Amino acid sequence: MHISAASGYHGPPPWQWADLATSWTLEPVVLALSVLAGGGYLLGVRRLARAGTRWQPTRTAAFLGGLALWLWLTCSGIGVYERILFTDRAVQVVLLLMVVPLLLALGAPVSLLVEASPPQRQERILRALRSGPSKLLMFPAVSTVLLMAPPWLLYFTPWYEKSLSSGAWNIGLHVSLVALGLAYFWPRLQLDPVGREYPHLVGLFITFAEVIFDAGLGIVLIYGGHLVAGHYYVALDRPWGPSPAQDQTWGGNALWVLGDLVGLPFLAALVRRMIVQGREETARVDAELDRQYAAVAAAVPAGGEPEPEEGMRPWWLDDPNLKHRYGG
């Protein structure tokens, strides 16, 4: 704790890059949730392994990495200075809303829960996911609002200043941003069961819209002329670092640039998911065609040639300009 007699400031000493690794604080709620979630996840993986089912290690790494990042953002130097520097809070907000939930969603925790549960519990979980409220929450327009609206509400309502002055509101911010981000990434990635599937192109279009919203928020914070939580930062009387106005300018740039950059991993994950699903669909179609052809072949007497069924006949045999070349 740094105390300045000249200014009356009571807070941490001047920020340095080393504080990201050397300064620590305790966020008990996030710590407890992370331990419970991580322990439950590993227990599910172990249960599947005992049943002879292999769970993808990359999913485990993504989920545990998301929990580790959540802890680091709230308990490391970023957590120490989150109520002191506007820029520090801006970086924290972007990562809590967009990166931590993305990593957690890539871990497919609901799929793990379903596969590791007994049949009756599996049915209850899937029934809940098919319910009306679940479908509404995962509707693209609703989940998009849950991602785009929170930063605007945070900076232009009393929510932001309350998160600075109240410990309970601060903890609520740490948890609610991650929950709102999950409400978006879960139905967009569709790694976990969802109430209704939507084309992945919807996620691509939404991502581009989110880039515009990030840019708009950054521009308003930089050039809007309104000092967010100005009374709080002026009363803090910090004797080091940028002025409150300069700090907000830096924070607005961080929201703008970082918000756009962190969208790239999601785009990569979405494109990869589209490719994987395309391959799986192709494999299913090929297997079905092979099955149909095998069934037709089995019905033909020995030595005969199976006649292709409708839908299996090559298209060029029915083309009036080509069929004569192939004996059609």
Side-chain angles (χ1 to χ4, degrees):
M1 179 69 69
H2 180 78
I3 301 176
S4 174
S7 66
Y9 168 75
H10 297 266
W15 185 90
Q16 303 177 39
W17 283 103
D19 289 313
L20 296 176
T22 59
S23 296
W24 296 91
T25 186
L26 177 64
E27 220 290 22
V29 173
V30 172
L31 177 61
L33 291 175
S34 298
V35 170
L36 290 173
Y41 193 96
L42 292 176
L43 182 62
V45 172
R46 182 182 179 186
R47 185 171 297 174
L48 287 183
R50 286 181 173 179
T53 302
R54 181 179 178 274
W55 185 253
Q56 294 182 24
T58 53
R59 291 185 175 184
T60 302
F63 188 82
L64 296 181
L67 295 178
L69 180 59
W70 194 12
L71 282 170
W72 182 74
L73 289 171
T74 55
C75 297
S76 71
I78 290 185
V80 172
Y81 289 88
E82 64 183 354
R83 302 198 219 181
I84 307 299
L85 292 169
F86 185 96
T87 303
D88 187 278
R89 174 70 94 186
V91 171
Q92 185 190 60
V93 165
V94 172
L95 297 181
L96 285 177
L97 182 63
M98 299 189 66
V99 179
V100 172
L102 173 60
L103 290 172
L104 296 179
L106 287 172
V110 179
S111 295
L112 177 62
L113 176 63
V114 171
E115 293 188 29
S117 299
Q120 290 183 346
R121 186 182 302 168
Q122 289 182 5
E123 182 57 32
R124 287 198 297 268
I125 295 172
L126 295 176
R127 191 184 307 118
L129 292 175
R130 292 190 293 264
S131 66
S134 176
K135 291 181 179 180
L136 176 63
L137 182 65
M138 297 184 182
F139 185 70
V142 175
S143 60
T144 300
V145 169
L146 294 178
L147 182 75
M148 294 184 182
W152 289 85
L153 294 175
L154 176 65
Y155 288 107
F156 298 104
T157 68
W159 184 11
Y160 184 83
E161 191 160 355
K162 287 182 178 179
S163 73
L164 299 175
S165 57
S166 167
W169 277 83
N170 192 44
I171 292 172
L173 180 69
H174 296 158
V175 176
S176 62
L177 289 178
V178 173
L180 292 169
L182 266 175
Y184 172 77
F185 288 111
W186 176 0
R188 294 288 69 77
L189 287 173
Q190 297 181 28
L191 287 173
D192 279 325
V194 294
R196 180 181 299 166
E197 293 187 359
Y198 295 94
H200 287 298
L201 286 177
V202 173
L204 291 176
F205 288 126
I206 292 174
T207 301
F208 292 127
E210 190 270 331
V211 168
I212 297 174
F213 269 72
D214 282 340
L217 177 59
I219 290 172
V220 170
L221 290 174
I222 296 169
Y223 302 109
H226 170 66
L227 192 61
V228 177
H231 296 296
Y232 173 87
Y233 285 115
V234 171
L236 191 63
D237 201 16
R238 172 170 42 81
W240 50 265
S243 66
Q246 183 63 51
D247 190 20
Q248 181 169 313
T249 298
W250 291 357
N253 280 283
L255 279 168
W256 185 350
V257 176
L258 191 60
D260 292 345
L261 289 178
V262 297
L264 296 178
F266 171 63
L267 284 176
L270 199 58
V271 171
R272 181 181 181 277
R273 181 64 177 160
M274 292 171 65
I275 294 173
V276 170
Q277 281 193 336
R279 290 174 178 171
E280 292 174 349
E281 181 64 24
T282 300
R284 283 195 296 268
V285 171
D286 289 344
E288 177 62 20
L289 291 176
D290 290 342
R291 186 194 65 78
Q292 293 179 8
Y293 189 82
V296 172
V300 174
E305 288 293 331
E307 181 70 21
E309 291 185 348
E310 184 179 355
M312 297 178 63
R313 180 181 174 87
W315 63 270
W316 55 82
L317 295 181
D318 296 318
D319 189 297
N321 297 318
L322 297 176
K323 64 180 182 180
H324 67 279
R325 300 184 184 181
Y326 302 99

